[in-house]
Amino acid sequence: MTVIAAATAASTLAACGGSDDGGGTSGGGGGDASANEASDIGITEDSIKLGAHFPLTGVAAPGYSEIPTGAQAYFECLNQQGGVNGRTIDYIYRDDAYNPTNTSQVVNQLVLEDEVFAIVGGLGTPTHSAVLDFLNSEGVPDLFVSSGSRLWGEDPETNPYTFGWQTDYESEGKIIGQYIADNFPDAKVGLFLQDDDFGEDGEAGIRQYIDDQIVAAERYTPGNTNVGPQIAALQAAGADFVVGFNVPSYTALSQLTALQLGYDPQWFYSNVGSDPTLVGSLLNNFSQGQVSDASLLDGALTTDYLPTVDEPDNPWVQEFQRIWDECGGEGELTNYRIYGMAQAYTTVQALQAAGQNPTRDGLVEAIETAGSEWEGPVLAPFRYSADSHMGTSGMSISRITGDTTEEVEPVQLTDLGDAEIEPYDGEMAEVPENGIPNEESVVD
């Protein structure tokens, strides 16, 4: 069964606290809605249809299923302010249960039956890899994949319609590696890696800086929940500092296994696996209540490329809280919903830059031309150009305490390969009125 959700113009003004006039007829983008045309597949005079695939059910659903609800809430509020150049966003997301076979089916449906203008934020390396060739052969913009694989951005010649969004895992590994080299030069480092591109890319980045400090690298296969052999091997190798490139469920499993073994190294989890609220819930579930929160993560290090819910004074978090309160559904604002809202914000920037009557090829041109200059909630600049479709270029480093994090190193910037790491000297972007960007068209 397919789960579908749509954010359309049918939403009421009251749901988003909009004014009687909806904030104007043209919304973000500043165009004249009377000039709108049905300029491409998925574009009508008054709507833009976008599609996505997410694990709404199955083992990957915790956390990740919240991302599209954040994007949906953002689009709901945007629509009440007139949408983009007078077009509302019709956002359709379907459940693939984190199964590549399902992903192929639902993306085929989105493209061939629903006739979406673009796919936005499809989640997962193994899942989205299954539709990469299809989307590019069909000429469908494949925007801002929810994964840090370098597949999405390093080769625009092969995949001209696909763009990354978050910091790639290799760059993240480089930033982590340099931090360890500078702050823990005597540590004996063990790696706990997912056995796919996620773990491989992270390992490649780390080894550029601390290859001589690494005493063991252990890999797990997603779906095999017994990580006892891997954690025991790290302990036996004498690793007193463990870096994990793993998903949240394996953060919980690694912590419980280490607790059983009496193993207490310094932990550093990549951004993907470190959300303390979700990990705390998984720890409680996996331990059947013996561990009731994320306290096992106290002192662990992680990375960030977005503001988080534990920063209530951050203007972007405050704006996203307003959007969730006015246009969201059940539950609370979470880091996953912030991710979805931030991704939706970048999507609106791209649509605005694509002009009054956007086309699929024009959307790609707009991102390549202007994307590196866009500012928003993401902490570091994007790397978009005709030669690179890589997403944001940097991260900060934080220490986890309870359900909160505290920054211990400000944002560092880098890129793939031997690109140097440099501190970011930019400032946080200001939140625009109503949380809606106002990018100029860069497409004739």
Side-chain angles (χ1 to χ4, degrees), residues 355-374:
Q356 184 76 38
N357 292 299
T359 64
R360 285 174 164 175
D361 287 343
L363 183 61
V364 170
E365 179 186 346
I367 300 170
E368 291 180 342
T369 301
S372 64
E373 302 298 322
W374 294 339

Side-chain angles (χ1 to χ4, degrees), residues 292-378:
S292 60
D293 56 26
S295 57
L296 289 179
L297 286 182
D298 281 0
L301 297 163
T302 189
T303 54
D304 292 304
Y305 53 88
L306 284 169
T308 54
V309 291
D310 61 356
E311 303 173 64
D313 295 331
N314 182 290
W316 285 99
V317 174
Q318 292 174 346
E319 179 63 16
F320 291 145
Q321 184 67 66
R322 179 194 68 80
I323 291 171
W324 183 251
D325 290 343
E326 296 181 5
C327 300
E330 298 180 357
E332 299 177 343
L333 181 68
T334 64
N335 289 330
Y336 294 97
R337 290 182 171 124
I338 285 179
Y339 182 103
M341 291 184 191
Q343 207 169 54
Y345 184 94
T346 309
T347 301
V348 172
Q349 290 178 298
L351 292 170
Q352 291 173 346
Q356 184 76 38
N357 292 299
T359 64
R360 285 174 164 175
D361 287 343
L363 183 61
V364 170
E365 179 186 346
I367 300 170
E368 291 180 342
T369 301
S372 64
E373 302 298 322
W374 294 339
E375 296 181 341
V378 177

Side-chain angles (χ1 to χ4, degrees), residues 175-184 268 301 397 408-409:
I175 292 169
I176 292 171
Q178 178 179 264
Y179 180 80
I180 295 172
D182 290 346
N183 295 277
F184 298 88
F268 196 132
L301 297 163
I397 294 177
V408 296
E409 181 167 270

Side-chain angles (χ1 to χ4, degrees), residues 31 53 61 73 86 113 121 140 164 167 184 192 200 213 257 260 292 311 324 330 337 376 383:
H53 63 88
E113 297 180 21
V140 180
T167 312
F184 298 88
F192 179 63
E200 291 173 7
Q213 289 185 242
T257 302
Q260 292 172 340
S292 60
E311 303 173 64
W324 183 251
E330 298 180 357
R337 290 182 171 124
R383 289 168 278 179

Side-chain angles (χ1 to χ4, degrees), residues 81-127:
Q81 298 297 325
V84 178
N85 290 322
R87 292 185 178 90
T88 55
I89 304 297
D90 181 1
Y91 178 56
I92 303 171
Y93 58 91
R94 298 187 182 275
D95 182 19
D96 66 3
Y98 207 69
N99 181 315
T101 300
N102 295 347
T103 308
S104 295
Q105 293 172 350
V106 301
V107 170
N108 268 270
Q109 186 175 1
L110 287 164
V111 171
L112 301 178
E113 297 180 21
D114 299 316
E115 295 188 318
V116 297
F117 178 56
I119 297 294
V120 177
L123 186 136
T125 301
T127 45

